[in-house]
């Protein structure tokens, strides 16, 4: 039965990884295709996948659109290319000047550079649209801390929907920012005094501690998701101790030294036991200066209620989405830099297996988690393709930069040598990442 479960989990992860990768590759290659078309470069083949062709059709422009059997990538083959790399050129001596203009090699330098850059840019646009869409769905908290809806918890809820929170534990909460600051300093007690305005009347009630051990979300590829924890669970006991606040759980896990931690969990009115084995993870510091290594469970704390939200205005929406995307990009480069410098473990780099597990776990956590990871993966693909490695789009752009400066392209011999070096480097990187998937816990 365990074998069947493992096979089912593997198939689940593989299916959602292929779905996510196909979307990302299709957007990436469409970026190349559409900008190439706008630039006057004719695309002969648009392929989603490699290998034997499963389905194909040719449109009125003469482009063959196809789906191939191996779903781990794709390509656009432009007129005049000897292969899908758009570097090796076929013999074009028989083409007229007008026909040569529609080839990749015969197009102006600006058209070739724009066509190559369009792939990663399309991935960045996909990330922006996905993050922005999620922001519109979830909204942003209103300036005044107002309760939107209540969550099921094992304690009695004394708050009500629509309550405006004026103070917590005697400390004023004039806005959402102040409310968040107060939460970080609350005493570790089951209940706290909350002053609120309800139906025009001001009152003070004893409410469940907002920082109770309630799970808001479970991270992918984490100890928590392996243990079977879900968003909405409340951890009653951990390591033989009663849990009053989420900080209590963190203390137990941080001090576990990696040993299994027995948990008692409340879920939708039922109580059960399970065991969580913490994992070492490199966590970015709040000030962005580096990372620290901790024993982690992969959980995020949640409030026993949802704050009332509003839809952001257009300018605010663009600003918030761009900031989130910038933070993700900065964290990615910071992590790469620290791995190269040896400050954090190279186990933070995942290969195909690790990415499939991530997408599978994200799908299990819900559609928002899956879509969020789709945005992260799309951003990663865009960044990877811009690296100045021959074979990748970034390498092509380096060749074009060389041509812009010297007024001539690199020689065919130099291109062959550089492409071989780039391919070797890329394969080595993929093998190393795959080795991490197998050996790193």
């Amino acid at each position: 039965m365990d074998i069947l479960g493992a096979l089912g989990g593997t198939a689940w992860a593989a299916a959602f990884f292929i779905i996510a990768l196909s979307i990302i590759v299709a957007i990436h290659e469409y970026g190349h295709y559409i900008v190439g078309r706008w630039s006057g470069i004719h695309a002969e083949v648009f392929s989603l996948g490699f290998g034997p062709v499963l389905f194909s059709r040719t449109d009125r422009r003469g482009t063959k659109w196809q789906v191939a059997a191996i779903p781990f990538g794709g390509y656009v083959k432009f007129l005049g290319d000897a292969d899908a790399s758009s570097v090796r050129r076929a013999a074009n001596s028989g083409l007229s000047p007008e026909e040569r203009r529609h080839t990749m090699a015969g197009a102006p330098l600006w058209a070739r550079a724009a066509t190559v850059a369009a792939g990663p840019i399309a991935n960045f646009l996909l990330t922006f649209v996905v993050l922005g869409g999620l922001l519109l769905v979830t909204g942003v908290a209103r300036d005044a801390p107002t309760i939107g809806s209540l969550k099921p918890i094992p304690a009695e809820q004394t708050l009500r929907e629509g309550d405006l929170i004026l103070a917590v534990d005697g400390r004023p909460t004039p806005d959402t920012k102040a409310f968040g600051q107060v939460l970080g300093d609350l005493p570790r007690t089951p209940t706290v005094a909350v002053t609120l305005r309800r139906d025009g009347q001001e009152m003070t009630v004893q409410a469940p501690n907002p920082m109770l051990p309630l799970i808001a979300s479970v991270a992918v590829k984490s100890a928590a998701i392996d243990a079977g924890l879900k968003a909405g669970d409340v951890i009653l006991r951990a390591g033989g101790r009663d849990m009053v606040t989420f900080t209590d759980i963190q203390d137990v896990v941080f001090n576990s030294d990696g040993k299994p931690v027995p948990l008692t969990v409340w879920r939708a009115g039922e109580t059960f036991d399970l065991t969580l084995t913490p994992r070492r993870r490199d966590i970015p510091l709040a000030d962005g200066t580096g990372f620290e290594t901790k024993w982690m469970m992969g959980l995020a704390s949640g409030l026993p209620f949802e704050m009332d939200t509003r839809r952001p205005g257009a300018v605010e929406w663009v600003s918030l989405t761009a900031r989130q995307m910038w933070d993700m990009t900065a964290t990615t480069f910071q992590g790469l830099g620290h791995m190269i410098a040896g400050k954090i473990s190279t186990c933070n780099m995942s290969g195909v297996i690790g990415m499939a597990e991530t997408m599978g776990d994200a799908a299990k956590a819900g559609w928002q988690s899956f879509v969020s990871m789709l945005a992260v993966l799309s951003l990663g693909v865009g960044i990877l393709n811009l690296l100045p490695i021959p074979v990748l789009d970034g390498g092509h752009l380096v060749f074009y930069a060389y041509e812009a400066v010297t007024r001539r392209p690199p020689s065919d011999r130099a291109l062959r040598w550089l492409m071989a070096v780039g391919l070797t480097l890329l394969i080595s990187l993929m093998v190393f990442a795959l080795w991490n998937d197998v050996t790193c816990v």
Side-chain angles (χ1 to χ4, degrees), residues 192-419:
V192 294
V194 177
T195 302
L196 51 88
R197 181 175 291 118
R198 178 185 299 168
D199 299 328
Q201 304 241 340
E202 187 172 317
M203 63 184 72
T204 300
V205 300
Q206 285 295 124
N209 194 315
M211 296 303 294
L212 83 172
L214 170 67
I215 299 173
S217 62
V218 181
V220 297
K221 290 187 66 180
S222 66
I225 203 165
D226 288 346
L229 290 169
K230 297 181 179 180
D233 289 350
V234 179
I235 299 177
L236 304 179
R237 291 177 61 82
R241 292 170 43 193
D242 289 337
M243 298 290 101
V244 177
T245 68
F246 196 84
T247 305
D248 296 331
I249 308 171
Q250 292 175 315
D251 290 344
V252 171
V253 172
F254 291 166
N255 297 318
S256 67
D257 199 27
K259 297 176 182 176
V261 178
L263 303 177
T264 300
V265 179
W266 181 93
R267 178 184 296 166
E270 297 185 1
T271 303
F272 56 92
D273 296 325
L274 50 79
T275 301
L276 179 146
T277 303
R279 296 180 181 178
R280 273 195 179 278
R281 290 291 182 264
D282 297 312
I283 310 301
L285 295 173
D287 59 6
T289 58
F291 291 76
E292 60 179 337
T293 302
K294 290 183 177 181
W295 289 107
M296 302 293 292
M297 49 189 166
L299 297 176
S301 64
L303 300 173
F305 48 80
E306 295 285 355
M307 302 298 289
D308 194 22
T309 60
R310 60 176 176 81
R311 179 166 293 186
V315 174
E316 183 184 18
W317 176 77
V318 171
S319 176
L320 291 173
T321 305
R323 179 55 186 267
Q324 185 178 0
M325 190 170 168
W326 172 259
D327 289 343
M328 290 167 56
T329 304
T331 300
T332 299
F333 279 106
Q334 188 183 45
L336 286 173
H338 282 286
M339 272 191 285
I340 293 172
K343 295 180 179 179
I344 63 173
S345 171
T346 55
C347 284
N348 288 277
M349 179 183 294
S350 295
V352 174
I353 296 175
M355 288 186 287
E357 290 176 349
T358 296
M359 296 310 300
D361 286 350
K364 289 178 183 177
W367 73 267
Q368 288 190 12
S369 178
F370 176 76
V371 172
S372 295
M373 288 309 304
L374 176 69
V376 173
L377 186 57
S378 180
L379 180 67
V381 169
I383 292 173
L384 175 65
N385 272 277
L386 281 181
L387 295 179
I389 299 175
V391 179
L392 298 179
D393 294 330
H396 287 61
L397 292 174
V398 171
F399 297 153
Y400 295 148
Y402 173 85
E403 182 177 346
V405 172
T406 64
R407 304 296 182 181
R408 65 178 186 277
S411 66
D412 287 342
R413 179 179 179 184
L415 283 176
R416 286 194 297 270
W417 185 83
L418 288 170
M419 292 293 284

